[in-house]
Amino acid sequence: MKKILFLFFALSLFTAQHTFAIDKSGNLLSLINLSRETATQEKITALLGQPMKIEEHKKRVWWHYSKGNTDLVICWNKNSDVFENFSFTCKPGQKCAFDNGIPGKLKSGSTDILQALALLGTPADMKIKGATQEMHYAYANSVLRLFFRNRILVDYTLLGTPSK
C-alpha cells in the first residue's frame, strides 16, 4: 500500500500539464520505487527540490510545493519523519463538458486508479491518506468525485448538471 501512495503521487506529477521540475526518467522512477519506509525527507527533496513553504505544528510538518497551476502538499509525522499523506491540486485553464460515456467505463469494484487516470487524465484535485484515495474532476457544469479504497474504485458521484 505504501508503494501505491507514491506510485499514485508520481503518476499525478507525470500527467499534470504543469508539472514540477523533475527529470521524468531517473527521478520519476526513483519516486515510484519509494515506499513509506524508504521515503525520507532527503529523498523527496532530492526529487522535487526544497519546498516553497514548510508549516510545523505539534505532531505534523507540511511541505508545500507550487508551480504554475499545480499545488502539492506532503504531510510528515514530526516525531518519526514518516510520510503520512498528500494532497494535489491542478487548476485547469478551461473546463470541458462532461462526457456522458464516462460512467459506462467506470466499474465500482474493478476499476483501479491507474485505469481512472488513463481514462480521465489529471484530476482537479486528489487526496491520499492511508488506504483511501479521492479524486475530483471539474467539468463545465459538474464535478465528478471518485472514491477509492486500496486503489480500487468504491464509488463515484457526478455533482451538478452535465452538459449535453
Side-chain angles (χ1 to χ4, degrees), residues 106-112 115 151-153:
L106 296 171
K107 306 287 184 208
S108 294
S110 64
T111 301
D112 67 20
Q115 291 168 328
R151 298 187 67 209
I152 302 297
L153 183 65

Side-chain angles (χ1 to χ4, degrees), residues 12-13 15-20 65 67-72 87-95 121-126 136-138:
S12 300
L13 290 177
T15 58
Q17 291 177 346
H18 302 283
T19 61
F20 295 100
Y65 291 90
K67 174 81 174 179
N69 294 339
T70 305
D71 295 314
L72 171 70
S87 63
F88 171 84
T89 305
C90 182
K91 299 172 186 91
Q94 183 177 13
K95 296 178 183 178
T122 304
D125 68 72
M126 69 180 141
H136 296 96
Y137 289 88

Side-chain angles (χ1 to χ4, degrees), residues 66-121:
S66 183
K67 174 81 174 179
N69 294 339
T70 305
D71 295 314
L72 171 70
V73 179
I74 300 173
C75 180
W76 302 92
N77 182 299
K78 192 171 183 176
N79 296 328
S80 64
D81 289 334
V82 172
F83 166 83
E84 287 192 351
N85 62 64
F86 81 87
S87 63
F88 171 84
T89 305
C90 182
K91 299 172 186 91
Q94 183 177 13
K95 296 178 183 178
C96 62
F98 179 74
D99 179 0
N100 291 324
I102 290 174
K105 297 175 184 174
L106 296 171
K107 306 287 184 208
S108 294
S110 64
T111 301
D112 67 20
I113 286 178
L114 297 178
Q115 291 168 328
L117 283 172
L119 176 66
L120 301 168

